[in-house]
Amino acid sequence: MRTILSIRGGGIRGIIPTCCLMKLESQLGGLTRDHIAYCAGASTGALLTAAVAAGVPAADILKIYTGRSKEIFTPTGAIADAKRIAEGYMYDPKNLRDVLVSVFGPAASWVVNDCPIGVMVAATAMNGHNWFFVRDNPRNARTTGSVKLVDAAVASACAPTYFDHWKIDAVGGQTLNFFDGGVGGTANPVYEACVEAFEFDAFTGADTRVIALGTGYYPGSNKPPSGLLGVISWTTSTLVDTSEDWASEAVDRQWPGILTDFNPLLPRDIDEADLSAIPALVTIGQQMAATLDWTKLIP
């Protein structure tokens, strides 16, 4: 059996699946990539996917979320809100890329084709077209394998109104601007991961298990948002959340029995850039990780 690991989007809430990967590495030994054949992600899940493929230990990934998020989510407070209204975004994605490069080591220069496991990173171009960055192979269009891994991850993580867009020059001979993976309906990338693996790669449903890790959810409210910033936050969060249910349900319908899905209920609505929630997210992640037995999930 081969394992596909799929990781949802959710900004700073990527702490939750990171804690689960720490449990995996503790139970099974080695790195996460040693135990899976394919990793897929969108938004913060794309950052995790790139880190897993690059061989970054999960404990080091957690240190990025808990210790270096301020380098990424800057400025904060009223200055960030004013910048969001005036410029349309709060954070510079170059800061995010710089952090990735500093921890990826030699893998910072990798293109997608260099990854030792299969990867799928979902990102939405500003022309409205969804792109799925995968290794080139004879069964696909071979248009994304030469894209740098860190650029694909940053493109997927640039949530509108949070980050400015990210430009990539070598996507099938085109120069494209990207805004996030979640806004295109792929914040839960599990269905696209299965399509890429089963339809455009050498995987089959008979020899594959799929494990999906979420970043937590909080039931929506029927109460209308208040003010411009409230509407902006609601719109962005809703775009990201729209794929949460249908993607997993679609996998269950098309490939019955292959998916195991984990996504915890959050105690409150936690914004993708709420750095004050880091301690609580670590606790939630550890609690979720404690329920997982990777020796049974990946025998």
Side-chain angles (χ1 to χ4, degrees), residues 58-76:
D60 290 348
I61 300 173
L62 183 62
K63 290 177 183 177
I64 298 171
Y65 280 109
T66 59
R68 302 190 65 180
S69 289
K70 290 182 180 179
E71 298 176 40
I72 300 167
F73 295 104
T74 182
T76 59

Side-chain angles (χ1 to χ4, degrees), residues 5-242:
L5 177 65
S6 175
I7 310 175
R8 286 177 172 86
I12 194 65
R13 300 200 309 265
I15 287 171
I16 295 173
T18 301
C19 290
C20 297
L21 299 185
M22 289 177 63
K23 177 72 173 294
L24 181 157
E25 293 179 359
S26 173
Q27 285 189 311
L28 302 184
L31 301 169
T32 297
R33 73 179 184 188
D34 299 333
H35 304 284
I36 62 175
Y38 203 98
C39 194
S43 196
T44 202
L47 303 178
L48 280 165
T49 292
V52 165
V56 181
D60 290 348
I61 300 173
L62 183 62
K63 290 177 183 177
I64 298 171
Y65 280 109
T66 59
R68 302 190 65 180
S69 289
K70 290 182 180 179
E71 298 176 40
I72 300 167
F73 295 104
T74 182
T76 59
I79 296 176
D81 290 341
K83 187 175 181 180
R84 197 179 209 180
I85 294 173
E87 299 186 33
Y89 66 94
M90 296 182 285
Y91 314 123
D92 187 344
K94 292 179 181 177
N95 296 335
L96 172 57
R97 190 183 193 279
D98 288 344
V99 170
L100 293 183
V101 168
S102 72
V103 297
F104 275 24
S109 62
W110 284 3
V111 297
V112 173
N113 279 340
D114 293 324
C115 294
I117 59 172
V119 297
M120 192 285 288
V121 171
T124 304
M126 294 185 70
N127 61 9
H129 179 66
N130 285 341
W131 283 84
F132 305 104
F133 295 94
V134 297
R135 294 186 303 188
D136 296 339
N137 72 62
R139 297 177 63 178
N140 64 31
R142 289 175 280 187
T143 55
T144 61
S146 61
V147 171
K148 282 196 171 182
L149 179 63
V150 289
D151 286 327
V154 173
S156 183
C158 289
T161 78
Y162 289 92
F163 289 94
D164 195 6
H165 70 278
W166 190 250
K167 183 174 72 172
I168 300 180
D169 292 323
V171 188
Q174 305 177 71
T175 295
L176 295 173
N177 295 308
F178 287 90
F179 256 148
D180 200 46
V183 295
T186 56
N188 180 358
V190 66
Y191 181 77
E192 287 77 11
C194 289
V195 170
E196 290 293 337
F198 299 142
E199 301 297 328
F200 300 105
D201 211 319
F203 289 70
T204 69
D207 69 359
T208 305
R209 66 174 66 86
V210 182
I211 300 171
L213 298 178
T215 59
Y217 71 96
Y218 187 77
S221 169
N222 195 40
K223 182 180 179 181
S226 176
L228 176 60
L229 292 178
V231 172
I232 289 172
S233 295
W234 178 88
T235 301
T236 305
S237 295
T238 300
L239 285 170
V240 169
D241 291 343
T242 50

Side-chain angles (χ1 to χ4, degrees), residues 267-291:
R268 60 181 177 85
D269 189 14
I270 299 177
D271 184 81
E272 289 88 343
D274 185 358
L275 302 190
S276 69
I278 288 175
L281 289 169
V282 171
T283 298
I284 296 168
Q286 292 171 339
Q287 290 171 344
M288 178 170 159
T291 68

